[in-house]
Amino acid sequence: MIETARARSLVSMQSKPILKRHVRLQYDRVREAWALLSPERVFWPNEVSLDILRLCDGRQTVAEMIASLGDQYGADEAEIAPDVTGFLQEWSDKFLVTL
Amino acid sequence: MTEPVLPPIGMLAELTHRCPLQCAYCSNPAELLKANREMDTQGWVSLFEQAADLGVLQVHLSGGEPTLRADLVDLIACLARRGVYTNLITAGVGIAEGRIESFAEAGLDHVQLSFQGAFAATTEKIGNARGAHEKKLETARRIRAAGLPLTINAPIHRHNMEEVPDFIDLALSLGAERLEIANVQYAGWALLNRNALMPQREAVERQVEVVEAAQERLRGIMTIDFVTPDYFAIYPKPCMGGWARDAFMVAPDGTVLPCHAAATIKTLHFERFGDWTLSRIWHESSAFNAFRGTDWMQEPCRSCERREIDWGGCRCQALAIAGDAAATDPACIKSPLHARMGALINEAAGASTSANGAETFTYRRIGRVTEPTA
């Protein structure tokens, strides 16, 4: 089986997510909104998604991202952690983020 | 119009109709344009600038074979400067050494490479081009070496449907992020060749199972997008996401159309870029406004709860099969003509029983003008 050569990435607290090369987050002046451009689709991330995506710089770990988001939203880290990791796993599976 | 017209997001630019392949399923119109009808570099650059101003975020550079345009690198650079996402849709045959690298340097974002078969013999038969498969494999390697993300596109019909598992292995072995398995849409040359291309129902059902299992097995490893076959469907596709709603296409001569087959609707008149600005065409062209929104709809679309999901389906298919471009797409189970789709499947099965279908194809060629009939 050829596919054994490639494996699904799974998110962990030590992952350092970064937007994939073929994905671009840019401000659209016509619609006055942030757009995430990908091969076949344009995504319009909401404010929370946008805050997570902005932290995907390939340097911060998921643990650090959660701490930062907890600060920004005045929320308990343990409470938001599953949402953040769930989001990152989904976006990794969609080939938008490298973990 | 009751709703405001929103700016377009996507644009399909058919830069040329020239192509080294002669695929019988091609979605280009039966009447193909020669090179001397193509818009020049300045025309395309000016169009792309206006598209970016209007709000277009993604341009699909297609054809024919877009790499036959000597100025492709300049067109990519123009779009990249404007922050427009560029997707090159190529057959991957006859691309000179170093060009893919130059596209990447100019700012190309993504490449979609077509394979007519998972094996050389099938690719050669469908495209009527010797050695095409090996050239495509080499192109795929060069795309990856240039660091560009890759989608493999596999248009599926009777002659390659059983190769779906092999297409999946091929896309994985080439390092593709994404595989698009697309049932042929019966417009343009595919409509001319419908009887030779239409698969059997059992084959479609088997293929759907294979794709669904692979999507599950390869989650997070490779994305598999599946374009369902209209003739076997219950509900129609929202063609182009709805007529003139968020996308449009441009023919090689600069004619701006709501979809690639729209010119088959002879009652519509289409403007050419240069005669009108893009903004004026998008907002004011009678062809763009003809089927925009829901006001044009007849029953059963008009009162259907899915009218803003399907947008009535495909106008060109409605014309081809129901004889009325404003009718419900017969792919919809609610269409009074839905049974005609099944009849056309059976008709195709009876019309072409030859195991080697090559002799039944009308291969795509410029200058061969034959009106498709439904």
Side-chain angles (χ1 to χ4, degrees):
Chain A
M1 297 283 269
I2 291 160
E3 61 244 39
T4 51
R6 288 163 65 178
R8 180 186 180 203
S9 304
L10 294 174
V11 67
S12 79
M13 286 297 162
Q14 284 70 51
S15 309
K16 293 178 177 175
I18 187 167
L19 287 184
K20 290 220 182 257
R21 236 178 73 96
H22 58 275
V23 173
R24 203 157 67 229
L25 188 61
Q26 70 184 37
Y27 188 73
D28 173 21
R29 273 180 287 183
V30 172
R31 296 167 187 83
E32 300 182 331
W34 284 90
L36 190 91
L37 308 181
S38 77
E40 291 291 321
R41 290 183 65 187
V42 177
F43 298 87
W44 301 97
N46 63 23
E47 202 187 327
V48 178
S49 305
L50 202 53
D51 284 333
I52 300 174
L53 290 172
R54 281 184 176 131
L55 296 173
C56 294
D57 58 7
R59 292 191 301 270
Q60 300 183 63
T61 64
V62 171
E64 288 164 344
M65 289 171 65
I66 291 169
S68 163
L69 290 161
D71 270 355
Q72 285 183 53
Y73 285 85
D76 183 50
E77 287 179 30
E79 222 167 88
I80 63 169
D83 289 344
V84 176
T85 54
F87 175 90
L88 290 169
Q89 185 63 53
E90 190 189 329
W91 283 56
S92 167
D93 287 347
K94 286 180 181 168
F95 289 90
L96 300 168
V97 164
T98 301
L99 294 175
Chain B
M1 289 302 299
T2 45
E3 291 171 48
V5 176
L6 297 174
I9 291 173
M11 165 177 172
L12 174 69
E14 288 185 351
L15 300 175
T16 179
H17 278 159
R18 292 171 289 144
C19 188
L21 303 188
Q22 301 180 353
C23 303
Y25 65 79
C26 184
S27 64
N28 282 157
E31 288 181 57
L32 297 167
L33 302 173
K34 290 198 298 178
N36 64 3
R37 298 282 303 279
E38 290 172 16
M39 197 151 63
D40 64 11
T41 309
Q42 193 44 51
W44 283 107
V45 165
S46 166
L47 172 63
F48 290 151
E49 295 281 356
Q50 289 192 21
D53 289 341
L54 192 57
V56 167
L57 297 172
Q58 276 188 318
V59 169
H60 305 278
L61 298 160
S62 182
E65 173 51 45
T67 59
L68 289 178
R69 290 280 305 209
D71 56 359
L72 182 57
V73 70
D74 303 314
L75 302 182
I76 292 168
C78 160
L79 290 162
R81 265 198 309 278
R82 295 299 309 265
V84 177
Y85 195 99
T86 46
N87 176 24
L88 176 65
I89 300 178
T90 179
V93 173
I95 304 177
E97 193 137 11
R99 275 194 99 204
I100 290 167
E101 294 74 8
S102 72
F103 300 154
E105 279 164 30
L108 182 65
D109 288 297
H110 176 262
V111 183
Q112 178 178 311
L113 172 64
S114 67
F115 273 86
Q116 286 62 45
F119 305 104
T122 317
T123 301
E124 294 190 2
K125 183 178 92 171
I126 307 301
N128 202 24
R130 274 255 182 98
H133 197 77
E134 288 73 19
K135 289 172 188 162
K136 287 165 182 283
L137 294 174
E138 175 57 22
T139 298
R141 279 189 283 273
R142 282 202 247 151
I143 292 165
R144 300 305 291 154
L148 289 163
L150 174 66
T151 289
I152 298 296
N153 170 262
I156 299 294
H157 44 76
R158 181 193 296 167
H159 301 273
N160 63 3
M161 187 154 276
E162 301 305 331
E163 294 179 19
V164 165
D166 310 294
F167 275 120
I168 295 168
D169 283 349
L170 176 68
L172 283 167
S173 71
L174 295 174
E177 280 89 353
R178 188 169 160 272
L179 168 64
E180 186 178 286
I181 297 175
N183 280 274
V184 162
Q185 316 240 39
Y186 293 95
W189 290 82
L191 184 55
L192 270 174
N193 285 298
R194 185 173 56 197
N195 280 350
L197 294 172
M198 184 69 71
Q200 304 270 347
R201 191 174 294 277
E202 299 72 35
V204 171
E205 284 165 3
R206 270 200 306 278
Q207 168 221 20
V208 169
E209 275 177 34
V210 169
V211 170
E212 284 176 354
Q215 282 170 329
E216 184 56 35
R217 189 175 76 242
L218 297 174
R219 190 152 57 103
I221 295 172
M222 180 173 73
T223 302
I224 305 178
D225 283 338
F226 184 64
V227 178
T228 55
D230 277 339
Y231 282 65
F232 301 85
I234 296 170
Y235 294 120
K237 289 191 198 71
C239 194
M240 297 295 282
W243 183 275
R245 207 168 145 263
D246 55 26
F248 62 93
M249 68 81 65
V250 183
D253 65 351
T255 304
V256 185
L257 301 135
C259 79
H260 58 259
T264 61
I265 307 176
K266 301 292 183 197
T267 48
L268 298 180
H269 173 75
F270 304 98
E271 271 74 34
R272 233 168 49 89
F273 176 73
D275 299 337
W276 285 26
T277 64
L278 184 61
S279 174
R280 186 174 172 209
I281 294 172
W282 179 253
H283 291 100
E284 295 176 29
S285 160
S286 58
F288 276 71
N289 284 319
F291 304 115
R292 203 171 232 152
T294 55
D295 289 352
W296 59 273
M297 287 179 179
Q298 311 170 355
E299 292 296 352
C301 289
R302 181 172 276 277
S303 61
C304 181
E305 70 284 0
R306 292 178 60 89
R307 67 184 176 275
E308 292 190 359
I309 298 169
D310 302 330
W311 301 99
C314 172
R315 297 303 86 229
C316 307
Q317 193 151 271
L319 176 68
I321 293 168
D324 176 3
T328 297
D329 183 340
C332 183
I333 196 162
K334 295 183 179 182
S335 162
L337 291 159
H338 184 65
R340 178 93 183 109
M341 301 299 258
L344 288 166
I345 296 169
N346 295 337
E347 192 183 304
S352 180
T353 47
S354 148
N356 172 10
E359 71 276 13
T360 65
F361 289 153
T362 303
Y363 282 115
R364 172 201 192 277
R365 271 179 206 138
I366 295 179
R368 176 183 275 167
V369 179
T370 318
E371 284 294 310
T373 51

